[in-house]
Amino acid sequence: MNFSRGTLTIAALAGAASLALAPTATAATTYQITVIPPIGTVRANNLVTLGALVTPTPTGTDGSTPVELELTDPSGDVTARSIPLTLGAGTAAIRTHEAGRYTAVFTFAPPNGEPTETTAQFDVVASSGLGS
């Protein structure tokens, strides 16, 4: 087959235009956060470990995005923490100052995925004093 230079140029321009106008195939990933609550009885004036597991495991720039934690204590004070992720999981140590119900809001807002938020609550009992 013999094509003229003009025919090849038109074909190349048409191909480039169709690629430029084609929709991108990168859809945002939808993530979920699973909260790993404190284990056992949580006492006031102790450290508590809260965990977050993001699935599917974020990769690339999404994988370096931390989970933001806002912990509200029974009196309404809010403590904010950033939880760095390793293979989609991370933990934060939080000191509980008083007995009552705590509310933890976990937010994951990656640059290439859909933002997601999960809320969890846990109860803290009064400290029994020394030796507990």
Side-chain angles (χ1 to χ4, degrees), residues 8 15-16 18 25 32 37 46 55 66 78 87 98 108 114 117 125 127:
L8 289 175
S18 67
Q32 292 182 339
N46 284 320
T55 54
V78 177
L87 298 175
E98 60 186 290
F108 184 62
E114 294 291 325
E117 183 177 286
V125 297
S127 180

Side-chain angles (χ1 to χ4, degrees), residues 25-132:
T26 56
T29 303
T30 301
Y31 294 102
Q32 292 182 339
I33 302 173
T34 302
V35 175
I36 302 158
I39 298 172
T41 302
V42 179
R43 298 198 179 276
N45 297 318
N46 284 320
L47 284 177
V48 143
T49 301
L50 296 173
L53 174 65
V54 177
T55 54
T57 302
T59 58
T61 55
D62 288 0
S64 62
T65 302
V67 170
E68 300 300 327
L69 167 64
E70 285 190 356
L71 184 71
T72 305
D73 67 21
S75 63
D77 293 334
V78 177
T79 302
R81 294 278 193 279
S82 205
I83 303 174
L85 298 177
T86 302
L87 298 175
T91 59
I94 305 291
R95 179 162 304 277
T96 57
H97 295 288
E98 60 186 290
R101 177 153 291 186
Y102 285 71
T103 302
V105 178
F106 296 82
T107 306
F108 184 62
N112 299 313
E114 294 291 325
T116 187
E117 183 177 286
T118 299
T119 302
Q121 293 183 326
F122 61 95
D123 293 319
V124 174
V125 297
S127 180
S128 61
L130 295 175
S132 61

Side-chain angles (χ1 to χ4, degrees), residues 9-23:
T9 303
I10 291 172
L13 289 175
S18 67
L19 286 176
L21 297 175

